[in-house]
Amino acid sequence: MKKILIIEDEKAIAELERDYLESCGFAVHIEGRGDVGLQKALEGQFDLIILDVMLPKIDGFEICRQIRQTVNIPVLMVTAKKEDIDKIRGLGLGADDYMTKPFSPSELVARVKAHLARYERLTADKAERGEHIRIRGLFIDKPSRRVMIHEVEAMLTSKEYELLLLLASHPNRVFEKEELFERIWGLDSNGDAATVTVHIRRLREKIEHDPSKPQYIETIWGVGYRFKV
């Protein structure tokens, strides 16, 4: 389930957006203050952010600027202002889209779905080609074989790193345990699929905020695992 953060101080608008998004299968969290919303956004637990411009404590432009320094997810800015300069400023700070109030909730849902789909395609392409993988708060540097989670290095064993790299390089693809074992340990290695289960558990302990509710490596019951984006 994709998680969406709404940073909006108008309660009625935020709740309307939440209701429409939840009816489409999204998990939604609302914050009404700019400073608290920014803190939540930087934790890296969300797949997309809907960001109002006029907010108490910190405005949406500053929030967008700080998000773009550390978090690479879609940001949709919304505002009651109709001036083009605000739209240009928001897009210039790294927002992916800009909507002017009032807007149709169904249009908002359509744009959310479109940006999430586009982000998944881009993430998959970059993971295949580049020397680095950055997905939410996770950063993998292939040349140095280093893994950072929210700017803190995760000390992985060789097999843990290879397992994470394989999964993250193919986001949203489901791998059977047997396939993971064969690709990481080799066809002639001694062991079985239980080895994969043990390494996944240890890997989650090192990269997940809450290993019992993994945000990166998802269990597909009866099949195997996939890396969520």
Side-chain angles (χ1 to χ4, degrees):
M1 181 180 292
K2 298 293 185 182
K3 298 177 65 177
I4 297 175
L5 173 63
I6 297 175
I7 309 177
E8 167 66 70
D9 63 332
E10 295 188 51
K11 185 177 179 180
I13 293 177
E15 291 179 347
L16 179 62
E17 294 172 349
R18 179 197 61 198
D19 291 346
Y20 269 79
L21 290 165
E22 286 184 343
S23 70
C24 293
F26 296 105
V28 181
H29 180 83
I30 297 173
E31 289 295 344
R33 281 177 34 177
D35 54 342
V36 180
L38 174 61
Q39 181 180 357
K40 286 288 184 181
L42 295 180
E43 289 176 357
Q45 301 298 313
F46 296 93
D47 301 291
L48 181 143
I49 298 173
I50 299 172
L51 174 62
D52 189 28
V53 170
M54 303 301 294
L55 292 164
K57 303 297 182 180
I58 303 177
D59 68 28
F61 293 125
E62 177 60 20
I63 293 174
C64 184
R65 187 187 68 81
Q66 293 196 39
I67 287 174
R68 277 292 169 254
Q69 291 179 349
T70 57
V71 182
N72 182 25
I73 60 173
V75 176
L76 277 63
M77 296 192 74
V78 297
T79 182
K81 294 184 177 181
K82 293 181 171 60
E83 290 83 356
D84 286 343
I85 188 65
D86 288 318
K87 181 176 181 179
I88 293 170
R89 183 182 178 190
L91 296 174
L93 288 169
D96 296 272
D97 206 347
Y98 201 99
M99 300 183 68
T100 303
K101 300 175 184 177
F103 50 79
S104 164
S106 58
E107 180 186 357
L108 174 67
V109 171
R111 294 200 190 190
V112 165
K113 290 181 177 179
H115 283 289
L116 285 172
R118 174 177 175 271
Y119 177 73
E120 288 187 6
R121 290 194 299 270
L122 291 174
T123 301
D125 290 343
K126 290 179 180 178
E128 288 285 352
R129 297 194 306 264
E131 291 186 341
H132 308 101
I133 298 176
R134 188 184 298 275
I135 302 176
R136 299 193 297 278
L138 177 72
F139 178 75
I140 302 175
D141 181 76
K142 295 181 184 179
S144 67
R145 294 174 66 88
R146 296 179 67 193
V147 175
M148 308 293 289
I149 182 72
H150 301 304
E151 309 302 326
V152 178
E153 185 169 3
M155 306 306 295
L156 306 184
T157 65
S158 176
K159 294 302 183 186
E160 289 168 352
Y161 172 81
E162 292 172 12
L163 187 57
L164 175 62
L165 180 61
L166 175 60
L167 290 168
S169 295
H170 301 83
N172 288 331
R173 174 184 166 183
V174 179
F175 285 89
E176 295 182 352
K177 293 180 182 179
E178 292 76 13
E179 181 182 1
L180 290 172
F181 181 75
E182 291 174 1
R183 294 183 64 163
I184 301 301
W185 281 267
L187 288 170
D188 298 326
S189 298
N190 293 322
D192 54 28
T195 301
V196 175
T197 302
V198 172
H199 279 74
I200 289 290
R201 185 181 71 245
R202 291 175 179 170
L203 187 53
R204 283 173 172 162
E205 291 172 352
K206 295 179 180 181
I207 69 169
E208 299 282 3
H209 175 70
D210 182 354
S212 67
K213 299 177 181 178
Q215 299 300 309
Y216 296 110
I217 301 176
E218 180 182 25
T219 298
I220 307 300
W221 296 106
V223 183
Y225 305 95
R226 72 177 174 187
F227 195 97
K228 297 191 300 181
V229 296

